[in-house]
Structure formats: structure tokens, C-alpha cells
Coordinates of all heavy atoms in Angstrom, one line a residue:
N1 N 120.3 128.0 118.5 CA 120.2 128.0 117.1 C 119.5 129.2 116.6 O 119.9 130.0 115.7 CB 119.5 126.7 116.6 CG 119.4 126.6 115.1 OD1 120.4 126.5 114.4 ND2 118.1 126.7 114.6
K2 N 118.3 129.5 117.2 CA 117.5 130.7 116.8 C 118.3 132.0 117.2 O 118.3 132.9 116.4 CB 116.2 130.7 117.5 CG 115.1 131.6 116.9 CD 115.2 133.1 117.3 CE 114.9 133.3 118.8 NZ 115.0 134.8 119.1
N3 N 118.9 132.0 118.3 CA 119.5 133.3 118.8 C 120.8 133.6 117.9 O 121.0 134.7 117.6 CB 119.9 133.2 120.2 CG 118.7 133.3 121.1 OD1 117.7 133.9 120.7 ND2 118.7 132.7 122.3
I4 N 121.5 132.6 117.5 CA 122.6 132.8 116.6 C 122.2 133.0 115.2 O 122.7 133.9 114.5 CB 123.6 131.6 116.7 CG1 124.3 131.6 118.1 CG2 124.7 131.6 115.6 CD1 125.1 130.4 118.4
G5 N 121.2 132.2 114.7 CA 120.7 132.3 113.3 C 120.1 133.6 113.0 O 120.4 134.1 111.9
I6 N 119.4 134.2 113.9 CA 118.8 135.5 113.7 C 119.7 136.6 114.2 O 120.0 137.6 113.6 CB 117.4 135.6 114.4 CG1 116.4 134.6 113.7 CG2 116.9 137.0 114.4 CD1 116.1 135.0 112.3
G7 N 120.3 136.4 115.4 CA 121.1 137.4 116.1 C 122.4 137.7 115.4 O 122.8 138.9 115.4
C8 N 123.0 136.8 114.7 CA 124.2 137.0 114.0 C 124.0 137.4 112.5 O 125.0 137.6 111.8 CB 125.2 135.8 114.1 SG 125.8 135.6 115.8
A9 N 122.8 137.4 112.1 CA 122.5 137.7 110.7 C 122.6 139.2 110.6 O 122.1 140.0 111.4 CB 121.1 137.2 110.3
D10 N 123.1 139.7 109.4 CA 123.2 141.2 109.2 C 121.8 141.8 109.3 O 120.8 141.2 108.8 CB 123.7 141.4 107.8 CG 123.7 142.8 107.4 OD1 124.6 143.6 107.8 OD2 122.8 143.2 106.6
G11 N 121.7 142.9 109.9 CA 120.4 143.6 110.2 C 119.6 143.9 109.0 O 118.4 143.7 108.9
R12 N 120.2 144.5 108.0 CA 119.5 144.9 106.8 C 119.3 143.8 105.8 O 118.3 143.7 105.1 CB 120.2 146.1 106.1 CG 120.1 147.4 106.8 CD 120.6 148.6 106.0 NE 120.9 148.3 104.6 CZ 122.1 148.4 104.0 NH1 123.1 148.7 104.7 NH2 122.3 148.1 102.8
I13 N 120.3 143.0 105.6 CA 120.2 142.0 104.5 C 119.9 140.6 105.1 O 119.0 139.9 104.6 CB 121.6 142.0 103.7 CG1 121.8 143.4 103.1 CG2 121.5 140.9 102.7 CD1 123.1 143.6 102.5
G14 N 120.7 140.1 106.0 CA 120.6 138.8 106.5 C 119.2 138.5 107.1 O 118.6 137.4 106.8
K15 N 118.8 139.3 108.0 CA 117.5 139.1 108.6 C 116.3 139.1 107.6 O 115.4 138.3 107.7 CB 117.2 140.1 109.8 CG 118.1 139.8 111.0 CD 117.9 140.9 112.0 CE 118.7 140.7 113.3 NZ 120.1 140.5 113.2
K16 N 116.4 140.0 106.6 CA 115.4 140.1 105.6 C 115.4 138.8 104.8 O 114.4 138.3 104.4 CB 115.7 141.3 104.7 CG 114.6 141.5 103.7 CD 114.8 142.8 102.9 CE 113.6 142.9 101.9 NZ 113.8 144.1 101.1
M17 N 116.6 138.3 104.5 CA 116.7 137.0 103.7 C 116.1 135.9 104.4 O 115.5 135.0 103.8 CB 118.2 136.7 103.4 CG 118.8 137.6 102.3 SD 120.6 137.3 102.1 CE 120.6 135.7 101.4
I18 N 116.2 135.8 105.7 CA 115.7 134.8 106.5 C 114.2 134.9 106.6 O 113.4 133.9 106.5 CB 116.3 134.8 108.0 CG1 117.8 134.4 107.9 CG2 115.5 133.8 108.9 CD1 118.5 134.6 109.2
H19 N 113.6 136.1 106.8 CA 112.2 136.3 107.0 C 111.3 136.5 105.8 O 110.1 136.4 105.8 CB 112.0 137.5 107.9 CG 112.3 137.2 109.4 ND1 111.5 136.4 110.2 CD2 113.3 137.7 110.2 CE1 112.0 136.4 111.4 NE2 113.1 137.2 111.4
T20 N 111.9 136.7 104.6 CA 111.2 137.0 103.4 C 110.9 135.8 102.6 O 111.8 135.0 102.2 CB 111.9 138.0 102.6 OG1 112.2 139.2 103.4 CG2 111.1 138.4 101.3
G21 N 109.6 135.5 102.3 CA 109.2 134.4 101.5 C 109.1 134.7 100.0 O 109.6 135.7 99.6
D22 N 108.5 133.8 99.3 CA 108.4 133.9 97.8 C 107.6 135.1 97.4 O 107.7 135.6 96.3 CB 107.8 132.7 97.2 CG 108.7 131.5 97.4 OD1 109.9 131.6 97.5 OD2 108.1 130.3 97.4
T23 N 106.7 135.6 98.3 CA 105.9 136.8 98.0 C 106.8 138.1 98.0 O 106.3 139.1 97.4 CB 104.8 137.0 99.1 OG1 105.5 137.3 100.4 CG2 104.0 135.8 99.2
G24 N 108.0 138.0 98.5 CA 108.8 139.2 98.5 C 108.5 140.2 99.6 O 109.2 141.2 99.8
T25 N 107.5 139.8 100.5 CA 107.2 140.6 101.6 C 107.8 140.0 102.9 O 107.8 138.8 103.0 CB 105.7 140.8 101.8 OG1 105.1 139.5 102.0 CG2 105.1 141.5 100.6
Q26 N 108.3 140.9 103.7 CA 108.9 140.4 105.0 C 107.8 139.8 105.8 O 106.6 140.2 105.8 CB 109.5 141.6 105.8 CG 110.4 141.1 106.9 CD 111.4 142.1 107.4 OE1 111.4 143.2 106.9 NE2 112.2 141.7 108.3
W27 N 108.1 138.7 106.5 CA 107.3 137.9 107.3 C 106.4 137.0 106.5 O 105.5 136.4 107.0 CB 106.4 138.7 108.3 CG 107.1 139.8 109.0 CD1 106.9 141.1 108.9 CD2 108.2 139.7 109.9 NE1 107.8 141.9 109.6 CE2 108.6 141.0 110.3 CE3 108.9 138.6 110.4 CZ2 109.6 141.2 111.2 CZ3 110.0 138.8 111.3 CH2 110.3 140.1 111.7
G28 N 106.6 136.9 105.2 CA 105.8 136.2 104.3 C 106.3 134.8 104.0 O 106.3 134.3 102.9
I29 N 106.9 134.1 105.0 CA 107.6 132.9 104.8 C 106.8 131.8 105.6 O 106.3 132.0 106.6 CB 109.0 133.0 105.2 CG1 109.8 131.7 104.8 CG2 109.2 133.2 106.7 CD1 111.3 131.9 104.9
G30 N 106.9 130.6 105.0 CA 106.3 129.4 105.7 C 107.0 129.1 107.0 O 108.2 129.3 107.0
K31 N 106.3 128.5 107.9 CA 106.9 128.2 109.2 C 108.1 127.3 109.2 O 109.1 127.5 109.8 CB 105.9 127.7 110.2 CG 104.8 128.8 110.5 CD 103.7 128.3 111.3 CE 102.7 129.4 111.6 NZ 101.4 128.9 111.9
E32 N 108.0 126.2 108.4 CA 109.1 125.2 108.4 C 110.2 125.8 107.6 O 111.4 125.5 108.0 CB 108.6 123.9 107.8 CG 107.5 123.2 108.7 CD 107.7 121.8 108.8 OE1 108.5 121.2 108.1 OE2 107.0 121.2 109.7
E33 N 110.0 126.5 106.5 CA 111.0 127.1 105.8 C 111.8 128.1 106.6 O 113.0 128.2 106.6 CB 110.5 127.8 104.5 CG 111.6 128.3 103.6 CD 111.1 129.0 102.3 OE1 109.9 129.0 102.1 OE2 112.0 129.4 101.6
L34 N 111.1 128.9 107.5 CA 111.7 129.8 108.4 C 112.7 129.1 109.3 O 113.8 129.5 109.5 CB 110.7 130.6 109.2 CG 111.3 131.5 110.2 CD1 112.1 132.6 109.6 CD2 110.1 132.1 111.1
M35 N 112.2 128.0 109.9 CA 113.1 127.2 110.8 C 114.3 126.7 110.1 O 115.4 126.7 110.7 CB 112.3 126.0 111.4 CG 111.1 126.3 112.2 SD 111.3 127.5 113.5 CE 110.2 128.7 112.9
E36 N 114.2 126.3 108.8 CA 115.3 125.9 108.0 C 116.3 127.0 107.7 O 117.5 126.8 107.8 CB 114.8 125.2 106.8 CG 114.1 123.9 107.1 CD 113.4 123.3 105.9 OE1 113.4 123.8 104.8 OE2 112.7 122.2 106.1
R37 N 115.8 128.2 107.4 CA 116.6 129.3 107.1 C 117.4 129.8 108.4 O 118.5 130.1 108.3 CB 115.8 130.4 106.5 CG 115.4 130.2 105.1 CD 114.7 131.4 104.5 NE 114.2 131.1 103.2 CZ 113.7 132.1 102.4 NH1 113.6 133.3 102.8 NH2 113.3 131.8 101.2
I38 N 116.7 129.7 109.5 CA 117.3 130.1 110.7 C 118.5 129.1 111.0 O 119.6 129.5 111.4 CB 116.3 130.1 111.9 CG1 115.3 131.2 111.8 CG2 117.0 130.1 113.3 CD1 114.2 131.2 112.8
S39 N 118.2 127.9 110.8 CA 119.3 126.8 111.1 C 120.4 127.0 110.1 O 121.6 126.8 110.5 CB 118.7 125.4 111.0 OG 117.6 125.3 111.9
E40 N 120.2 127.3 108.8 CA 121.2 127.5 107.9 C 122.1 128.7 108.2 O 123.3 128.6 108.1 CB 120.6 127.6 106.5 CG 120.0 126.3 105.9 CD 119.1 126.5 104.7 OE1 118.9 127.7 104.3 OE2 118.7 125.5 104.2
S41 N 121.4 129.7 108.7 CA 122.2 130.9 109.1 C 123.1 130.6 110.4 O 124.2 131.0 110.4 CB 121.2 132.0 109.5 OG 121.9 133.2 110.0

């Protein structure tokens, strides 16, 4: 799940969408929300 969810996400856009939280900064996302975004991807 993690390897496909992150690995198959577009480098510039997809990965940023997964890792960016409400703050707009990369890596600024809550842990459970990150797991959910990875799974959705």
C-alpha cells in the first residue's frame, strides 16, 4: 500500500498532495490523514 501509494504518485504533484497538510507546507500533515491519503493513492 505505501510503496504503491507513494511510489506511483506523480513526483511533483502527487507526492506533494499526499504529504501537504492544511498548513500548505510539505510534511505538515497529520499522521492518520497521511495514512489515509497514501491508501487513497
Side-chain angles (χ1 to χ4, degrees):
N1 185 64
K2 194 281 292 182
N3 289 331
I4 290 170
I6 295 294
C8 291
D10 175 77
R12 283 189 14 241
I13 299 167
K15 287 176 178 54
K16 186 175 182 181
M17 289 174 68
I18 293 168
H19 284 291
T20 303
D22 294 334
T23 64
T25 59
Q26 195 162 2
W27 317 116
I29 190 169
K31 293 174 181 157
E32 296 224 351
E33 185 179 359
L34 174 64
M35 301 307 119
E36 292 169 4
R37 288 186 183 186
I38 289 170
S39 299
E40 290 165 355
S41 176

